[in-house]
Amino acid sequence: MEVACVPGLEPRQEPPCVQPAPLDEYESLPEAVSISTHMMAGSVAGIMEHSVMFPLDSVKTRMQSLQPNPEAQYKNVFDGLLRIIHTEGYWRPFRGLNAMVLGAGPAHAMYFSSYEKMKRTLSDAIGNGGNSHLANGVAGGLATLIHDAVMTPAEAVKQRMQMFNSPYTGVLQCIRLVRRSEGIRAFYRSYTTQLTMNVPFQAIHFITYEFMQEQLNPCRHYNPSSHMVSGALAGATAAAATTPLDVCKTLLNTQENLKLGALRRRGRHLSGMANAIRTVYQIGGLPAYFKGVQARVIYQMPSTAICWSVYEFFKYFITKQQS
C-alpha cells in the first residue's frame, strides 16, 4: 500500500516517502545511466523550451530596445505579437529560430548533465547526500559557465535577426556579415554580461525550483503539475531579478544603430558590461533598466515550466526503463 506524505503518522506506521531501492529518488538518475542520457534529456528540453516560446522572445527583444522605431512600439507582449504578425507576416516572429535551435541543443545538453553531476557531488560534500540549497545554487551557477559558452554566439545572431527592420536575410548571411564587419569578437561581446546575468539567474532559478519542489512535492514523485508550477515560479522570480542585465545584454548583442550612431561614426562598437550599463542609463535613466520586464517574466514563466516538465519527464521515463 502506498504511503502518503502526511506528517504526524503513528509510531507503528511506516515513515512517509519511503520507497524500495533503487527508486528512492526518481530525480537522481541511476548511476549506470551514461552521461549521454543526461545530455539527451537536456537537449530535448532546451529545444522544446526555446522553440515553443520563440515568438514571445522576439517580442521581448524588441521591447527592450532603448529607443524603438515608432512602428515597433508595443503596448504589451500580446499586442506586439499581433502587430508583428499583421504588419510583417506570420513567420516574422520566428526569424532566428534555427540559430537558437542549433545553440540550445548542445548548450542545454551540457548544462543539465553538468548540473546533475555537480549537484550530486556538492550535495554529498555539503549536505551529506541530502538536498542542499547551497549545492543547488552553486551547481546551477557553474553549469551556466558551460551553457553560455555555447549559447552566447547563438543569442547574438538570434537577437540581430529579431530586431525591427533587421538587415539580415538569413542566419548564415548574418554570421558572415557580422564576422566581416565586426570580427569574431562580436559574437562574444555580451559574454561577460550574459554570465553576470545568468549566474545569479540560474542560482535563483534552481534554488527556487528545488524549494518549491520541497513544498509541493516532498516525496519527489513524478508529478507534472508540481514541476510546471515550480518551474514557472522559479523562472518568474529569476527573470524579474535579472532584467536590468538582460537589457544590457540585448544592447551589446544588437548594437542598435539609432542609439549608437555617435559611437559608430568614430569607428567603435559598444563593448563590455560597464559600458553597456552606463549607456543604458545615459539613454533612458533608471526606468530603462526595466524595459521589457513584463515581457521577460511572461516569457520565462511558461518557458521554464515547459523546460522542467520535459526534462523531468525524460528523467522519469529513463529511470523506469533502467528499473
Side-chain angles (χ1 to χ4, degrees):
M1 180 176 180
E2 184 176 352
V3 180
C5 295
V6 180
L9 294 174
E10 294 298 325
R12 292 183 180 180
Q13 291 180 287
E14 190 176 1
C17 302
V18 174
Q19 303 177 26
L23 293 178
D24 54 337
E25 289 187 9
Y26 99 89
E27 71 161 16
S28 298
L29 294 177
E31 294 292 339
V33 175
S34 67
I35 191 172
S36 63
T37 302
H38 294 274
M39 296 179 75
M40 178 63 71
S43 177
V44 174
I47 291 173
M48 283 283 292
E49 169 196 359
H50 287 288
S51 297
V52 172
M53 299 306 300
F54 196 83
L56 294 185
D57 182 60
S58 295
V59 180
K60 176 187 74 71
T61 297
R62 291 192 181 191
M63 290 183 73
Q64 288 179 329
S65 176
L66 297 178
Q67 291 180 348
N69 187 291
E71 296 181 30
Q73 293 184 356
Y74 313 119
K75 297 177 182 178
N76 53 54
V77 177
F78 298 105
D79 171 66
L81 184 58
L82 291 175
R83 286 184 56 188
I84 291 173
I85 293 173
H86 178 71
T87 61
E88 302 175 50
Y90 180 80
W91 295 108
R92 189 63 177 81
F94 292 93
R95 290 193 84 230
L97 176 61
N98 46 351
M100 180 53 63
V101 169
L102 289 173
H108 280 73
M110 292 185 286
Y111 173 65
F112 276 108
S113 59
S114 58
Y115 170 73
E116 292 280 6
K117 176 64 176 177
M118 287 185 284
K119 182 180 76 169
R120 184 179 295 119
T121 301
L122 293 172
S123 293
D124 289 341
I126 298 173
N128 296 321
N131 183 43
S132 167
H133 294 307
L134 178 59
N136 298 333
V138 173
L142 292 175
T144 302
L145 298 176
I146 302 172
H147 171 274
D148 284 6
V150 178
M151 279 300 291
T152 297
E155 185 80 11
V157 174
K158 181 263 297 184
Q159 290 197 308
R160 293 195 182 219
M161 297 288 294
Q162 289 174 326
M163 293 300 293
F164 181 73
N165 280 339
S166 172
Y168 309 107
T169 58
V171 168
L172 293 179
Q173 187 214 32
C174 178
I175 294 172
R176 285 196 300 267
L177 292 179
V178 171
R179 180 179 175 275
R180 185 184 307 160
S181 61
E182 303 176 39
I184 294 294
R185 189 168 179 269
F187 298 106
Y188 280 92
R189 193 174 282 128
S190 68
Y191 184 56
T192 55
T193 302
Q194 187 117 329
L195 284 179
T196 305
M197 175 185 71
N198 282 346
V199 169
F201 176 93
Q202 298 301 349
I204 295 170
H205 175 198
F206 280 110
I207 289 172
T208 305
Y209 179 81
E210 299 287 358
F211 173 77
M212 291 304 302
Q213 282 293 284
E214 285 184 343
Q215 307 305 309
L216 301 177
N217 187 20
C219 293
R220 297 304 177 106
H221 296 305
Y222 174 60
N223 187 329
S225 61
S226 78
H227 301 319
M228 291 187 70
V229 172
S230 299
L233 291 176
T237 303
T242 57
T243 295
L245 290 169
D246 193 44
V247 172
C248 295
K249 181 206 71 174
T250 299
L251 178 61
L252 287 172
N253 277 340
T254 58
Q255 300 286 309
E256 300 170 74
N257 292 338
L258 186 59
K259 276 68 68 184
L260 304 177
L263 288 175
R264 287 183 180 278
R265 280 195 295 272
R266 293 197 296 267
R268 295 171 51 194
H269 292 92
L270 188 68
S271 63
M273 182 183 65
N275 285 333
I277 292 174
R278 186 163 51 249
T279 301
V280 170
Y281 182 78
Q282 289 172 348
I283 293 173
L286 289 177
Y289 292 112
F290 292 92
K291 287 184 69 67
V293 63
Q294 179 197 45
R296 181 165 163 78
V297 171
I298 290 175
Y299 167 79
Q300 285 294 345
M301 287 186 70
S303 177
T304 48
I306 291 169
C307 188
W308 276 112
S309 298
V310 173
Y311 184 63
E312 297 285 11
F313 168 76
F314 269 88
K315 289 201 295 183
Y316 171 73
F317 176 78
I318 294 167
T319 302
K320 296 292 284 186
Q321 293 299 311
Q322 287 293 316
S323 301

